[in-house]
Amino acid sequence: MSFERAKRVNGGDAPSWPATGEGGPPLIARMFEVQDAKELALAVEQPEEEAHLSERPSPMATAGAGSFDQIQEADTSEPRMPFIGSVLDYVPGERITIERKLNVDEDLYLADHAFVHAPGIKPTSACMPVVPMTMSLEIMAEAAACLAPGYGLLGFEDVRSVTWIDLADVDEVALNIVAQIVRHDAERGAFSISAAIYVEGKSSPAITATVLFGDRYLVELSPTFSDLSNARAHSLTADEIYVERHMFHGPSFQCLVGEFVLGDEGIVGELCVRSPEKLFESTRSPQLLTDPCLLDAVGQIVGLWAMEQERYVFPIGLTKLEIYRPTPPVGTRAPVRVEILQSEGKTLVADVEVQDGEGGVWMRISGWRTWKFRWEKRLVDFRRQPDRHLLATPAPAPRFDGAVSLMLSSAELKQFDPALLARYCLSADEMLTYKELERFPQRQRQWLYGRVAAKDAVRLWVAKRQQGEMSHPAAFAISSDERGRPFVKPAPGLGSAPSVSISHCEERAIAVAHEHDIGVDIERIATRDVGVVEAFASAKEREMIGRFPVQERDAWLTRLWCAKEAVGKLLGVGLEGKPLAMEAAEMTGDGQIVLSHKDRNARARVSTIEDDGFIIAYADLEQSVA
């Protein structure tokens, strides 16, 4: 969008024609399902075969008291409101309660609004699909429409999104949508209808709003949009934003188009009206009362402005939204202007105006509210493209050619919810193990960090070896044998997988991948009493450690313990409760230790490294040491 065009975005006029379609554009909230309140009452009270409501009944006219399965079997060529499921309670002119079962096979838009990016690797339900706030507005509007037949949707007031509505690890979840007429303002010609969405099993609503219906559009908002100060072009086009996944949205919600102009207190751009034909499985022509996908893009363009401030946002509500026209034709490019009103603290508040592509105003929003937070760039990059970025960082390198060693700590991941991290990185089988550890939160977190570090090490090792791209971390699994030794399960694209070893201490995890068997261990340097030392260090080993400066004694005792742990992992047997079965043959000042395992007739060289108060030990069979 050019700077000159950007200056004209807020120049449109709001219309004054009726909301019912008389003498103006088509009715926004025309109801094929419910011709009037009496018709809906009949549909609820009578069995399907007795409800003769018209010569050509709509899908919902006979399904008002039925199930969503009945709706799916209806004629999909007939426009219908897609969120009107089973009517549980209805008092004409007062209230209605509708149950709508969200289903990943029916509600196709969910796949385009999932937090975890794992296409072709995980099913939709495993990717934490979330109902957008703007789709929740559509859901509440459809329920409210049943209480105002013959009237048009004017907008929303006091929208408050409290919790996400998600389908995490389930294919279906039931919603109860409750709507009740609060008042009829004759002077404004508007019905105020309170609406709320409850998720099954929850006593509090996930989102609430007041939905406005009437016979004429309301024009009560008149936001002021100042000239963009310090105007500058955004560095990315809309196509680049989506291709590089700076926005996580799939095709249905990719309504940003063209270029964007940023200012210190605002942003200008264009939104595109997309076809709704792929939002639902059972209908290609849903009768939507709003354009939930384009409205979601309002949040996206607000998010673009926030990203320039190194912040990220999720919508949590709005003060008021007024609609002045029906949804423009598919393909319409609608100019949009955002004025940032507040950006301090944890919330960002903005006013928004969206035009209709013909110079008129389509809608205005007052007080669009978002929750604002900051993510480290490394975490952001991983979230948007987990098959191209690593979470773990390089650990002090072992003295073995070809090894990849990576480390993670809780401090680095404090902005990453562990449950969401698990969804990004773990396969289905690994997720089961993760959930089995729920009773032991610290152990669960350590196990997760170890698996994430190991997967990063494996996919980096494979990419280097194949000179190709990295795998998605959830595309393969790391399992354990009967002794607890980790190994990489065969998977497409991995080829000959490396050996892997994992260790964790406190809130740190380390993993190493190598062509040959290898062992790793990490321990914090600490003072150990005489009894503990004598339990794992022979007299010969204690004498060898005594040659080093006394101030290094704790570090060398930790090096020896780490070395024995690493050799136990290398051999796949652990310490077997007999640390004295291993004995050091050599210790050198650079941290190298040669250990002989008496019971296993094995000899290993261990490289020990001090790092930020910890000792890291890498063990390799002596004959394979470079």
Side-chain angles (χ1 to χ4, degrees):
M1 174 176 286
S2 68
F3 287 99
E4 289 304 314
R5 189 174 182 188
K7 294 177 181 178
R8 299 197 300 270
V9 164
N10 60 326
D13 297 321
S16 59
W17 53 66
T20 55
E22 298 174 5
L27 173 67
I28 296 177
R30 186 172 63 252
M31 297 179 61
F32 287 85
E33 295 78 7
V34 184
Q35 301 301 323
D36 54 34
K38 179 180 178 181
E39 196 170 281
L40 179 60
L42 287 172
V44 174
E45 295 168 1
Q46 298 180 21
E48 181 177 342
E49 60 271 19
E50 297 178 5
H52 303 291
L53 303 178
S54 67
E55 292 184 2
R56 186 184 178 189
S58 68
M60 279 307 303
T62 56
S67 68
F68 190 68
D69 292 337
Q70 291 174 292
I71 301 173
Q72 289 179 307
E73 295 170 0
D75 179 8
T76 58
S77 65
E78 181 78 13
R80 60 177 177 78
M81 292 191 291
F83 290 109
I84 302 298
S86 302
V87 178
L88 304 181
D89 174 63
Y90 175 64
V91 178
E94 291 187 20
R95 67 177 188 268
I96 190 169
T97 300
I98 294 169
E99 181 186 67
R100 169 61 154 86
K101 293 182 178 179
L102 296 181
N103 185 285
V104 294
D105 293 326
E106 163 62 18
D107 296 280
L108 304 181
Y109 63 88
L110 288 169
D112 286 340
H113 204 264
F115 284 166
V116 175
H117 184 60
I121 296 170
K122 288 192 165 193
T124 298
S125 60
C127 295
M128 200 173 177
V130 174
V131 178
M133 183 186 80
T134 56
M135 195 66 77
S136 294
L137 295 183
E138 172 67 27
I139 294 172
M140 291 187 288
E142 291 186 16
C146 297
L147 297 175
Y151 290 91
L153 176 64
L154 308 181
F156 302 86
E157 291 179 333
D158 194 23
V159 176
R160 298 175 183 269
S161 180
V162 181
T163 61
W164 285 327
I165 300 173
D166 63 62
L167 280 78
D169 301 322
V170 295
D171 290 335
E172 186 173 274
V173 65
L175 305 181
N176 274 10
I177 308 104
V178 179
Q180 182 172 355
I181 293 180
V182 176
R183 64 182 177 275
H184 175 231
D185 189 331
E187 184 176 344
R188 297 167 78 203
F191 287 93
S192 294
I193 303 172
S194 67
I197 300 177
Y198 292 81
V199 180
E200 62 178 326
K202 304 293 184 180
S203 58
S204 300
I207 185 170
T208 61
T210 298
V211 190
L212 303 176
F213 278 83
D215 56 9
R216 298 185 71 83
Y217 292 105
L218 296 177
V219 186
E220 298 177 346
L221 293 180
S222 54
T224 300
F225 294 93
S226 57
D227 290 337
L228 292 177
S229 59
N230 190 25
R232 57 208 181 269
H234 194 281
S235 60
L236 300 174
T237 66
D239 287 344
E240 291 168 335
I241 287 166
Y242 290 126
V243 168
E244 297 175 17
R245 297 200 75 255
H246 293 282
M247 295 289 171
F248 69 88
H249 307 75
S252 298
F253 294 95
Q254 292 179 359
C255 296
L256 299 179
V257 288
E259 300 176 345
F260 308 93
V261 180
L262 294 155
D264 290 342
E265 286 83 31
I267 184 171
V268 172
E270 287 184 312
L271 311 180
C272 183
V273 179
R274 303 296 186 192
S275 170
E277 65 179 6
K278 294 184 179 180
L279 297 180
F280 305 94
E281 176 62 31
S282 63
T283 178
R284 292 294 177 264
S285 54
Q287 188 198 356
L288 298 173
L289 307 188
T290 67
D291 187 337
C293 297
L294 185 134
L295 270 174
D296 185 85
V298 168
Q300 295 174 39
I301 197 169
V302 172
L304 284 184
W305 186 89
M307 287 180 193
E308 287 291 304
Q309 321 302 315
E310 297 184 346
R311 297 295 186 272
Y312 299 87
V313 295
F314 283 114
I316 57 173
L318 57 87
T319 302
K320 188 171 184 178
L321 184 156
E322 287 184 351
I323 300 171
Y324 310 122
R325 281 174 165 78
T327 299
V330 171
T332 298
R333 292 171 71 117
V336 59
R337 172 69 191 267
V338 175
E339 180 90 1
I340 304 299
L341 304 179
Q342 173 190 323
S343 61
E344 297 79 19
K346 291 291 187 180
T347 56
L348 187 153
V349 182
D351 283 349
V352 183
E353 182 176 272
V354 183
Q355 292 189 11
D356 61 5
E358 297 180 349
V361 179
W362 176 3
M363 67 181 85
R364 286 174 178 154
I365 302 172
S366 171
W368 177 281
R369 298 192 309 278
T370 63
W371 184 254
K372 184 177 63 171
F373 45 92
R374 185 170 188 168
W375 280 336
E376 183 185 343
K377 183 179 184 301
R378 181 166 60 92
L379 303 186
V380 172
D381 287 342
F382 175 82
R383 279 173 161 150
R384 65 187 181 87
Q385 294 176 318
D387 54 347
R388 296 187 184 181
H389 298 276
L390 301 171
L391 278 177
T393 56
R399 297 188 177 185
F400 310 133
D401 287 343
V404 172
S405 182
L406 300 176
M407 184 182 292
L408 271 178
S409 71
S410 60
E412 295 173 303
L413 297 177
K414 62 184 178 181
Q415 298 171 326
F416 212 141
D417 176 68
L420 186 58
L421 174 63
R423 295 182 190 282
Y424 268 95
C425 297
L426 302 182
S427 67
D429 289 343
E430 290 170 321
M431 281 297 296
L432 292 176
T433 303
Y434 175 76
K435 291 178 180 179
E436 289 172 356
L437 295 170
E438 284 180 348
R439 292 182 300 159
F440 313 101
Q442 183 177 8
R443 170 63 181 148
Q444 183 189 49
R445 190 166 55 251
Q446 288 178 334
W447 182 90
L448 173 63
Y449 289 173
R451 281 303 188 272
V452 173
K455 288 187 163 219
D456 277 2
V458 168
R459 57 203 191 102
L460 180 57
W461 185 91
V462 171
K464 287 182 174 181
R465 191 177 185 88
Q466 297 180 349
Q467 296 184 337
E469 297 181 352
M470 289 193 299
S471 300
H472 191 289
F476 64 96
I478 295 177
S479 189
S480 300
D481 63 19
E482 64 278 1
R483 290 180 174 269
R485 184 180 188 179
F487 67 92
V488 181
K489 298 179 73 172
L494 280 184
S496 179
S499 296
V500 64
S501 185
I502 305 170
S503 182
H504 32 70
C505 178
E506 299 175 6
E507 297 298 316
R508 293 193 180 201
I510 187 170
V512 59
H514 192 246
E515 181 179 8
H516 306 293
D517 288 341
I518 195 168
V520 67
D521 193 63
I522 182 171
E523 295 288 343
R524 180 178 287 281
I525 298 172
T527 300
R528 292 166 171 81
D529 61 37
V530 174
V532 172
V533 172
E534 291 178 348
F536 75 84
S538 68
K540 176 184 175 183
E541 290 169 331
R542 297 196 299 273
E543 188 274 330
M544 294 171 72
I545 289 174
R547 300 172 190 170
F548 296 104
V550 65
Q551 63 268 27
E552 297 180 13
R553 181 178 183 275
D554 288 343
W556 270 102
L557 285 171
T558 305
R559 288 178 191 269
L560 179 62
W561 174 257
C562 261
K564 293 189 176 186
E565 286 274 16
V567 171
K569 293 177 180 180
L570 164 67
L571 299 176
V573 296
L575 290 179
E576 300 179 292
K578 299 185 293 183
L580 293 176
M582 286 182 251
E583 188 172 56
E586 298 177 26
M587 291 186 190
T588 58
D590 60 355
Q592 303 302 301
I593 301 175
V594 176
L595 280 173
S596 294
H597 197 302
K598 303 171 185 176
D599 296 346
R600 299 288 171 175
N601 192 28
R603 186 177 171 93
R605 184 174 295 276
V606 186
S607 174
T608 66
I609 303 167
E610 185 173 344
D611 180 61
D612 192 26
F614 289 81
I615 295 295
I616 300 169
Y618 300 100
D620 193 26
L621 291 175
E622 194 171 28
Q623 61 266 29
S624 63
V625 175

